[in-house]
Coordinates of all heavy atoms in Angstrom, one line a residue:
F1 N 0.8 -1.2 0.0 CA 0.0 0.0 -0.1 C 0.8 1.2 0.0 O 0.4 2.4 -0.2 CB -0.9 0.0 1.2 CG -2.1 -1.0 1.0 CD1 -1.9 -2.3 1.6 CD2 -3.3 -0.5 0.4 CE1 -3.0 -3.1 1.3 CE2 -4.3 -1.5 0.2 CZ -4.1 -2.7 0.7
G2 N 2.1 1.2 0.4 CA 3.0 2.4 0.4 C 2.8 3.4 1.4 O 3.1 4.6 1.3
I3 N 2.3 2.9 2.6 CA 2.0 3.9 3.7 C 3.4 4.0 4.4 O 4.0 3.1 4.8 CB 1.0 3.4 4.7 CG1 -0.3 3.3 4.0 CG2 0.9 4.2 5.9 CD1 -1.4 2.7 4.8
T4 N 3.8 5.3 4.6 CA 4.9 5.6 5.4 C 4.8 6.5 6.6 O 3.6 7.0 6.6 CB 6.0 6.4 4.5 OG1 5.5 7.6 4.2 CG2 6.3 5.7 3.2
K5 N 5.6 6.4 7.5 CA 5.4 7.3 8.7 C 5.1 8.7 8.4 O 4.5 9.4 9.0 CB 6.6 7.2 9.6 CG 6.9 5.8 10.2 CD 8.2 5.7 10.9 CE 8.5 4.3 11.2 NZ 9.8 4.0 11.9
E6 N 5.9 9.1 7.4 CA 5.9 10.6 7.0 C 4.5 10.9 6.3 O 4.0 12.0 6.3 CB 7.0 10.9 6.1 CG 8.4 10.8 6.6 CD 8.8 9.4 6.7 OE1 8.4 8.5 6.1 OE2 9.8 9.2 7.7
S7 N 3.9 9.9 5.7 CA 2.6 10.2 5.1 C 1.4 10.1 5.9 O 0.3 10.6 5.5 CB 2.4 9.2 3.8 OG 2.1 7.9 4.4
V8 N 1.5 9.6 7.1 CA 0.4 9.4 8.1 C 0.2 10.7 8.8 O 1.1 11.1 9.5 CB 0.6 8.2 9.0 CG1 -0.5 8.1 10.0 CG2 0.7 6.9 8.2
K9 N -1.0 11.1 8.8 CA -1.3 12.4 9.6 C -2.6 12.0 10.4 O -3.6 11.5 9.8 CB -1.7 13.5 8.6 CG -0.6 14.0 7.7 CD 0.3 14.9 8.4 CE 1.3 15.4 7.4 NZ 2.6 14.9 7.3
I10 N -2.5 12.2 11.7 CA -3.7 12.0 12.5 C -4.2 13.3 12.9 O -3.7 14.1 13.6 CB -3.1 11.3 13.9 CG1 -2.4 10.0 13.4 CG2 -4.3 11.1 14.8 CD1 -1.9 9.4 14.7
N11 N -5.4 13.5 12.4 CA -6.2 14.8 12.6 C -7.2 14.7 13.8 O -7.8 13.6 13.9 CB -6.9 15.3 11.4 CG -5.9 15.5 10.3 OD1 -4.9 16.1 10.5 ND2 -6.3 15.2 9.1
D12 N -7.4 15.8 14.5 CA -8.4 15.8 15.4 C -8.4 14.8 16.5 O -9.4 14.4 17.1 CB -9.8 15.8 14.9 CG -9.9 17.0 13.9 OD1 -9.5 18.1 14.2 OD2 -10.7 16.8 12.8
L13 N -7.1 14.3 16.9 CA -7.0 13.4 18.0 C -7.2 14.1 19.3 O -6.3 15.1 19.6 CB -5.6 12.6 17.9 CG -5.3 11.6 19.0 CD1 -6.2 10.5 19.1 CD2 -3.9 11.2 19.0
N14 N -8.0 13.6 20.1 CA -8.2 14.2 21.4 C -7.1 13.7 22.3 O -7.2 12.4 22.6 CB -9.6 13.9 22.0 CG -9.8 14.4 23.4 OD1 -8.9 14.9 24.0 ND2 -11.1 14.4 23.9
S15 N -6.1 14.5 22.6 CA -5.1 14.0 23.4 C -5.2 13.6 24.9 O -4.4 13.2 25.6 CB -3.8 15.0 23.3 OG -4.2 16.2 23.9
K16 N -6.5 13.8 25.2 CA -6.9 13.5 26.6 C -7.8 12.2 26.6 O -8.2 11.7 27.6 CB -7.8 14.6 27.2 CG -7.0 15.8 27.4 CD -6.0 15.9 28.4 CE -5.4 17.3 28.6 NZ -3.9 17.2 28.7
D17 N -8.0 11.6 25.4 CA -8.9 10.4 25.2 C -8.0 9.1 25.3 O -7.4 8.7 24.4 CB -9.6 10.5 23.9 CG -10.6 9.3 23.6 OD1 -10.6 8.4 24.5 OD2 -11.2 9.2 22.6
L18 N -8.0 8.6 26.5 CA -7.2 7.4 26.8 C -7.5 6.2 25.9 O -6.6 5.6 25.4 CB -7.3 7.0 28.2 CG -6.5 7.8 29.2 CD1 -6.8 7.4 30.7 CD2 -5.0 7.8 29.0
T19 N -8.7 6.0 25.6 CA -9.1 4.9 24.7 C -8.5 5.0 23.4 O -8.0 4.1 22.8 CB -10.6 4.8 24.6 OG1 -11.2 4.6 26.0 CG2 -11.1 3.6 23.7
S20 N -8.6 6.3 22.7 CA -8.0 6.6 21.5 C -6.4 6.4 21.5 O -5.8 5.8 20.5 CB -8.5 7.9 20.9 OG -9.8 8.0 20.7
L21 N -5.8 6.9 22.5 CA -4.4 6.8 22.6 C -3.9 5.4 22.8 O -3.0 4.9 22.1 CB -3.9 7.7 23.8 CG -4.1 9.1 23.7 CD1 -3.7 9.8 25.1 CD2 -3.2 9.7 22.6
I22 N -4.8 4.6 23.5 CA -4.3 3.2 23.7 C -4.5 2.5 22.3 O -3.6 1.6 21.9 CB -5.1 2.5 24.7 CG1 -4.6 3.0 26.1 CG2 -5.1 1.0 24.7 CD1 -5.6 2.6 27.2
R23 N -5.5 2.8 21.6 CA -5.7 2.2 20.3 C -4.6 2.6 19.3 O -4.2 1.7 18.5 CB -7.1 2.6 19.7 CG -8.2 1.8 20.4 CD -9.5 2.2 19.8 NE -10.6 1.4 20.5 CZ -11.8 1.9 20.5 NH1 -12.2 3.1 19.9 NH2 -12.7 1.2 21.2
F24 N -4.1 3.7 19.3 CA -3.1 4.2 18.4 C -1.8 3.5 18.8 O -1.0 3.1 18.0 CB -2.9 5.7 18.5 CG -3.8 6.4 17.4 CD1 -4.9 7.2 17.7 CD2 -3.5 6.3 16.0 CE1 -5.7 7.7 16.8 CE2 -4.4 6.8 15.1 CZ -5.4 7.6 15.5
A25 N -1.5 3.4 20.1 CA -0.3 2.8 20.6 C -0.3 1.4 20.1 O 0.8 0.8 19.6 CB -0.2 2.8 22.1
S26 N -1.4 0.7 20.2 CA -1.5 -0.8 19.8 C -1.3 -0.9 18.3 O -0.6 -1.7 17.9 CB -2.9 -1.3 20.2 OG -3.0 -1.4 21.6
L27 N -1.9 0.1 17.6 CA -1.7 0.1 16.0 C -0.1 0.2 15.8 O 0.4 -0.5 15.0 CB -2.4 1.2 15.4 CG -2.1 1.5 14.0 CD1 -2.6 0.3 13.1 CD2 -2.8 2.8 13.5
F28 N 0.5 1.3 16.4 CA 1.8 1.5 16.1 C 2.8 0.3 16.5 O 3.7 -0.1 15.9 CB 2.4 2.7 16.7 CG 1.7 4.0 16.2 CD1 1.4 5.1 17.1 CD2 1.4 4.3 14.9 CE1 0.8 6.2 16.6 CE2 0.9 5.3 14.4 CZ 0.7 6.4 15.2
N29 N 2.4 -0.4 17.6 CA 3.0 -1.5 18.0 C 3.0 -2.7 17.0 O 4.0 -3.3 16.6 CB 2.5 -2.1 19.3 CG 3.1 -3.4 19.8 OD1 2.7 -4.4 19.3 ND2 4.2 -3.4 20.5
K30 N 1.7 -2.9 16.4 CA 1.5 -4.0 15.5 C 2.3 -3.7 14.2 O 2.8 -4.6 13.5 CB 0.0 -4.1 15.2 CG -0.8 -4.5 16.3 CD -1.3 -6.0 16.0 CE -2.4 -6.4 17.0 NZ -1.8 -7.3 17.9
I31 N 2.4 -2.4 13.7 CA 3.0 -2.1 12.4 C 4.6 -1.8 12.7 O 5.3 -1.6 11.7 CB 2.4 -1.0 11.7 CG1 2.3 0.2 12.4 CG2 0.9 -1.5 11.3 CD1 1.7 1.5 11.6
G32 N 5.0 -1.8 13.9 CA 6.4 -1.7 14.2 C 7.0 -0.3 14.2 O 8.1 0.0 14.0
W33 N 6.0 0.7 14.4 CA 6.5 2.1 14.5 C 6.8 2.5 15.9 O 6.0 3.2 16.6 CB 5.4 3.0 13.8 CG 5.2 2.8 12.4 CD1 5.9 1.9 11.6 CD2 4.4 3.5 11.5 NE1 5.4 2.1 10.3 CE2 4.5 3.1 10.2 CE3 3.5 4.6 11.8 CZ2 3.8 3.6 9.1 CZ3 2.8 5.2 10.8 CH2 2.9 4.6 9.4
Q34 N 7.9 2.0 16.5 CA 8.2 2.2 17.8 C 8.4 3.7 18.2 O 8.0 4.0 19.5 CB 9.5 1.5 18.1 CG 9.2 0.3 19.0 CD 10.4 -0.5 19.5 OE1 11.6 0.0 19.3 NE2 10.2 -1.8 19.9
E35 N 8.9 4.5 17.4 CA 9.1 5.9 17.9 C 7.7 6.6 18.1 O 7.4 7.2 19.2 CB 9.7 6.6 16.7 CG 10.2 8.0 17.0 CD 11.1 8.5 15.8 OE1 12.0 7.9 15.4 OE2 10.7 9.6 15.3
Q36 N 6.8 6.3 17.3 CA 5.3 6.8 17.5 C 4.7 6.1 18.6 O 4.0 6.8 19.4 CB 4.5 6.7 16.2 CG 4.9 7.5 15.0 CD 6.1 6.9 14.3 OE1 6.7 5.9 14.6 NE2 6.6 7.6 13.4
E37 N 4.8 4.9 18.9 CA 4.3 4.1 19.9 C 4.8 4.6 21.2 O 4.1 4.9 22.2 CB 4.8 2.7 19.8 CG 4.3 1.7 20.9 CD 4.8 0.3 20.7 OE1 5.6 0.0 19.9 OE2 4.4 -0.5 21.6
E38 N 6.2 4.9 21.3 CA 6.6 5.5 22.5 C 6.1 6.8 23.0 O 5.8 7.1 24.0 CB 8.3 5.6 22.3 CG 9.0 6.1 23.6 CD 10.4 6.3 23.4 OE1 11.1 5.6 22.5 OE2 11.0 7.1 24.1
K39 N 6.0 7.7 21.9 CA 5.4 9.0 22.2 C 4.1 8.9 22.7 O 3.6 9.6 23.6 CB 5.3 9.9 20.8 CG 4.8 11.2 21.1 CD 4.4 12.0 19.8 CE 3.9 13.3 20.0 NZ 2.7 13.3 21.0
I40 N 3.2 8.0 22.2 CA 1.8 7.8 22.7 C 1.9 7.2 24.1 O 1.1 7.8 24.9 CB 1.0 6.7 21.7 CG1 0.9 7.3 20.4 CG2 -0.4 6.5 22.4 CD1 -0.1 8.5 20.2
Y41 N 2.7 6.3 24.4 CA 2.8 5.9 25.8 C 3.2 7.0 26.8 O 2.6 7.1 27.8 CB 3.9 4.7 26.0 CG 3.4 3.5 25.3 CD1 4.4 2.7 24.6 CD2 2.2 3.0 25.3 CE1 4.1 1.6 23.9 CE2 1.8 1.9 24.6 CZ 2.8 1.1 24.0 OH 2.5 0.0 23.3
K42 N 4.0 7.9 26.4 CA 4.4 9.0 27.2 C 3.2 10.0 27.3 O 2.9 10.6 28.4 CB 5.6 9.8 26.6 CG 6.8 9.0 26.8 CD 8.1 9.6 26.2 CE 9.3 8.8 26.3 NZ 10.5 9.4 25.8
D43 N 2.4 10.1 26.3 CA 1.2 10.9 26.3 C 0.2 10.3 27.3 O -0.3 11.1 28.0 CB 0.5 11.1 25.0 CG 1.3 12.0 24.0 OD1 2.2 12.6 24.4 OD2 1.0 11.8 22.7
I44 N 0.1 9.0 27.3 CA -0.8 8.3 28.2 C -0.4 8.5 29.6 O -1.2 8.9 30.6 CB -0.9 6.9 27.8 CG1 -1.6 6.6 26.5 CG2 -1.6 6.1 28.9 CD1 -1.5 5.2 26.0
L45 N 0.9 8.5 29.9 CA 1.4 8.7 31.2 C 1.3 10.1 31.7 O 1.2 10.4 32.9 CB 2.9 8.1 31.3 CG 3.0 6.6 31.2 CD1 4.5 6.3 31.1 CD2 2.4 6.0 32.4
N46 N 1.2 11.1 30.7 CA 0.9 12.3 31.3 C -0.4 12.6 31.7 O -0.7 13.5 32.6 CB 1.3 13.4 30.0 CG 2.7 13.6 29.8 OD1 3.5 13.7 30.8 ND2 3.0 14.0 28.6
I47 N -1.4 11.8 31.2 CA -2.8 11.9 31.6 C -3.0 10.9 32.9 O -3.6 11.3 33.9 CB -3.7 11.4 30.5 CG1 -3.6 12.3 29.3 CG2 -5.2 11.3 31.0 CD1 -4.1 11.7 28.0
D48 N -2.4 9.7 32.8 CA -2.6 8.8 33.9 C -1.1 8.1 34.2 O -0.7 7.2 33.5 CB -3.6 7.6 33.4 CG -3.8 6.6 34.4 OD1 -3.1 6.8 35.5 OD2 -4.3 5.6 34.1
P49 N -0.5 8.7 35.2 CA 0.8 8.3 35.5 C 0.9 6.9 36.0 O 2.0 6.4 36.1 CB 1.4 9.4 36.5 CG 0.4 10.5 36.5 CD -0.9 9.9 35.9
N50 N -0.3 6.3 36.4 CA -0.3 5.0 36.8 C -0.9 4.0 35.8 O -1.2 2.8 36.3 CB -1.1 4.9 38.1 CG -0.5 5.7 39.2 OD1 0.7 5.7 39.4 ND2 -1.3 6.3 40.1
S51 N -0.9 4.3 34.5 CA -1.3 3.4 33.5 C -0.4 2.2 33.5 O 0.8 2.4 32.9 CB -1.5 4.1 32.2 OG -1.7 3.2 31.2
C52 N -0.8 1.0 33.8 CA 0.1 -0.1 33.7 C 0.3 -0.5 32.3 O 1.4 -1.0 32.0 CB -0.5 -1.3 34.6 SG -0.4 -1.0 36.4
F53 N -0.6 -0.3 31.5 CA -0.4 -0.6 30.0 C 0.7 0.2 29.5 O 1.6 -0.4 28.8 CB -1.7 -0.3 29.3 CG -1.6 -0.2 27.8 CD1 -1.7 -1.5 27.2 CD2 -1.6 0.8 27.1 CE1 -1.7 -1.5 25.7 CE2 -1.4 0.8 25.7 CZ -1.5 -0.3 25.1
A54 N 0.6 1.5 29.8 CA 1.8 2.4 29.2 C 3.1 2.2 29.8 O 4.1 2.1 29.3 CB 1.3 3.9 29.4
L55 N 3.1 1.9 31.2 CA 4.3 1.7 31.9 C 5.1 0.5 31.5 O 6.2 0.4 31.3 CB 4.1 1.7 33.5 CG 3.7 3.0 34.1 CD1 3.1 2.7 35.4 CD2 4.9 3.8 34.2
N56 N 4.3 -0.7 31.3 CA 4.8 -1.9 30.9 C 5.3 -1.8 29.4 O 6.5 -2.2 29.3 CB 3.7 -3.0 31.0 CG 4.3 -4.3 30.6 OD1 5.2 -4.8 31.1 ND2 3.7 -4.8 29.5
N57 N 4.6 -1.2 28.6 CA 5.0 -1.2 27.2 C 6.2 -0.2 27.0 O 7.2 -0.5 26.2 CB 3.9 -1.0 26.3 CG 3.0 -2.1 26.2 OD1 3.3 -3.2 26.3 ND2 1.5 -1.8 26.3
L58 N 6.1 0.9 27.6 CA 7.2 1.9 27.5 C 8.5 1.3 28.1 O 9.5 1.4 27.5 CB 6.8 3.2 28.1 CG 7.9 4.3 28.2 CD1 8.1 4.7 26.7 CD2 7.4 5.5 28.9
S59 N 8.4 0.7 29.2 CA 9.6 0.2 29.8 C 10.3 -0.9 28.9 O 11.5 -1.1 28.9 CB 9.4 -0.5 31.2 OG 8.5 -1.6 31.1
F60 N 9.4 -1.7 28.2 CA 9.9 -2.8 27.3 C 10.7 -2.0 26.1 O 11.8 -2.5 25.8 CB 8.8 -3.5 26.8 CG 9.2 -4.7 25.8 CD1 9.8 -5.8 26.2 CD2 9.0 -4.5 24.4 CE1 10.2 -6.8 25.4 CE2 9.4 -5.5 23.6 CZ 10.1 -6.5 24.0
I61 N 10.2 -1.0 25.6 CA 10.8 -0.2 24.5 C 12.2 0.3 25.0 O 13.1 0.2 24.3 CB 9.9 0.8 23.9 CG1 8.7 0.3 23.2 CG2 10.7 1.7 23.0 CD1 7.7 1.3 22.8
L62 N 12.1 0.8 26.2 CA 13.3 1.6 26.6 C 14.3 0.5 27.0 O 15.5 0.8 26.7 CB 12.9 2.4 27.9 CG 12.0 3.7 27.6 CD1 11.6 4.3 28.8 CD2 12.6 4.6 26.6
A63 N 14.0 -0.5 27.5 CA 15.0 -1.6 27.9 C 15.6 -2.3 26.7 O 16.7 -2.4 26.8 CB 14.2 -2.6 28.8
K64 N 14.8 -2.4 25.6 CA 15.4 -3.0 24.3 C 16.5 -2.3 23.8 O 17.4 -2.6 23.2 CB 14.2 -3.1 23.4 CG 13.5 -4.4 23.4 CD 12.4 -4.5 22.4 CE 12.7 -4.1 21.1 NZ 11.6 -4.3 20.1
R65 N 16.5 -0.8 24.0 CA 17.6 0.0 23.5 C 18.5 0.5 24.7 O 19.3 1.5 24.5 CB 17.0 1.2 22.7 CG 16.3 2.2 23.5 CD 16.1 3.5 22.6 NE 15.5 4.5 23.4 CZ 14.3 5.1 23.2 NH1 13.5 4.5 22.3 NH2 13.9 6.0 24.0
S66 N 18.5 -0.3 25.8 CA 19.3 0.1 26.9 C 19.3 1.5 27.5 O 20.2 2.0 27.9 CB 20.7 -0.3 26.6 OG 20.8 -1.7 26.3
D67 N 18.1 2.0 27.4 CA 17.8 3.5 27.8 C 17.9 3.4 29.4 O 17.3 2.5 30.0 CB 16.5 3.9 27.4 CG 16.2 5.4 27.7 OD1 16.2 5.8 29.0 OD2 15.9 6.1 26.9
P68 N 18.7 4.2 30.0 CA 18.9 4.2 31.4 C 17.6 4.6 32.4 O 17.7 4.4 33.4 CB 20.0 5.3 31.7 CG 20.0 6.2 30.4 CD 19.5 5.4 29.3
T69 N 16.7 5.1 31.6 CA 15.4 5.5 32.3 C 14.4 4.2 32.5 O 13.5 4.2 33.2 CB 14.7 6.7 31.7 OG1 14.2 6.2 30.4 CG2 15.4 7.9 31.6
A70 N 14.7 3.2 31.8 CA 13.8 2.0 31.7 C 13.5 1.5 33.1 O 12.5 1.2 33.4 CB 14.4 0.9 30.8
P71 N 14.5 1.3 34.0 CA 14.3 0.9 35.3 C 13.2 1.6 36.1 O 12.5 1.1 36.9 CB 15.6 0.9 36.1 CG 16.6 0.8 35.0 CD 16.0 1.6 33.9
I72 N 13.2 2.9 35.9 CA 12.2 3.8 36.5 C 10.8 3.3 36.2 O 10.0 3.2 37.2 CB 12.4 5.3 36.2 CG1 13.6 5.8 36.6 CG2 11.2 6.1 36.7 CD1 14.1 7.1 36.0
F73 N 10.5 3.0 34.9 CA 9.2 2.6 34.5 C 8.9 1.3 34.9 O 7.7 0.9 35.3 CB 9.1 2.8 33.0 CG 9.2 4.3 32.6 CD1 10.4 4.8 32.2 CD2 8.0 5.1 32.7 CE1 10.4 6.2 31.7 CE2 8.0 6.5 32.3 CZ 9.4 7.1 31.8
I74 N 9.9 0.3 34.8 CA 9.8 -1.1 35.3 C 9.5 -1.1 36.7 O 8.4 -1.8 37.1 CB 11.0 -1.8 34.9 CG1 11.3 -1.9 33.4 CG2 11.0 -3.2 35.5 CD1 12.7 -2.5 33.1
N75 N 10.1 -0.3 37.5 CA 9.9 -0.4 39.0 C 8.5 0.1 39.3 O 7.8 -0.4 40.2 CB 11.0 0.2 39.8 CG 12.2 -0.4 39.7 OD1 12.3 -1.6 39.5 ND2 13.3 0.4 39.8
K76 N 8.2 1.3 38.7 CA 6.7 1.8 38.9 C 5.7 0.8 38.5 O 4.6 0.6 39.1 CB 6.5 3.1 38.2 CG 5.3 3.7 38.5 CD 5.2 5.2 38.2 CE 3.8 5.8 38.7 NZ 3.7 7.2 38.5
Y77 N 5.9 0.2 37.3 CA 4.9 -0.9 36.8 C 4.8 -2.0 37.8 O 3.7 -2.4 38.2 CB 5.3 -1.4 35.5 CG 4.5 -2.7 35.1 CD1 3.2 -2.4 34.6 CD2 5.0 -3.9 35.2 CE1 2.4 -3.6 34.3 CE2 4.3 -5.0 34.9 CZ 3.0 -4.9 34.4 OH 2.2 -5.9 34.1
R78 N 6.0 -2.5 38.3 CA 5.9 -3.6 39.3 C 5.2 -3.2 40.5 O 4.5 -4.0 41.2 CB 7.4 -4.0 39.5 CG 8.0 -4.8 38.5 CD 9.4 -5.3 38.8 NE 9.9 -6.0 37.6 CZ 11.2 -6.2 37.3 NH1 12.1 -5.7 38.2 NH2 11.6 -6.9 36.3
S79 N 5.5 -2.1 41.1 CA 4.9 -1.6 42.3 C 3.4 -1.4 42.2 O 2.6 -1.7 43.2 CB 5.5 -0.2 42.8 OG 5.1 0.8 42.0
L80 N 3.0 -1.1 41.0 CA 1.4 -1.0 40.8 C 0.7 -2.4 40.6 O -0.5 -2.4 40.8 CB 1.2 0.0 39.7 CG 1.5 1.5 39.9 CD1 1.4 2.3 38.6 CD2 0.6 2.1 40.9
S81 N 1.5 -3.2 40.0 CA 0.8 -4.5 39.6 C 0.9 -5.6 40.6 O 0.5 -6.7 40.4 CB 1.5 -5.0 38.3 OG 2.7 -5.3 38.4
Q82 N 1.5 -5.3 41.8 CA 1.5 -6.3 42.9 C 0.2 -6.5 43.5 O -0.6 -5.5 43.8 CB 2.6 -6.0 43.9 CG 3.9 -6.1 43.2 CD 5.0 -5.8 44.1 OE1 4.9 -5.5 45.3 NE2 6.3 -6.0 43.7

């Protein structure tokens, strides 16, 4: 189909709508657009700092690239999911 990251434009996204943000994060995960996925998880955490969905998935992305902030998100996720 020839869809590229540069050609995708998301119009009228309510940046406070967690359901929409979660759906976009899941879409980006499925198609392998990690940069966009990471941004969405951070947007979710700005709205809901205790979102286990965003904490878990963001920590996975960060850990894969050895980002030094990954343990912060991993530890918060673990503390909330016990």
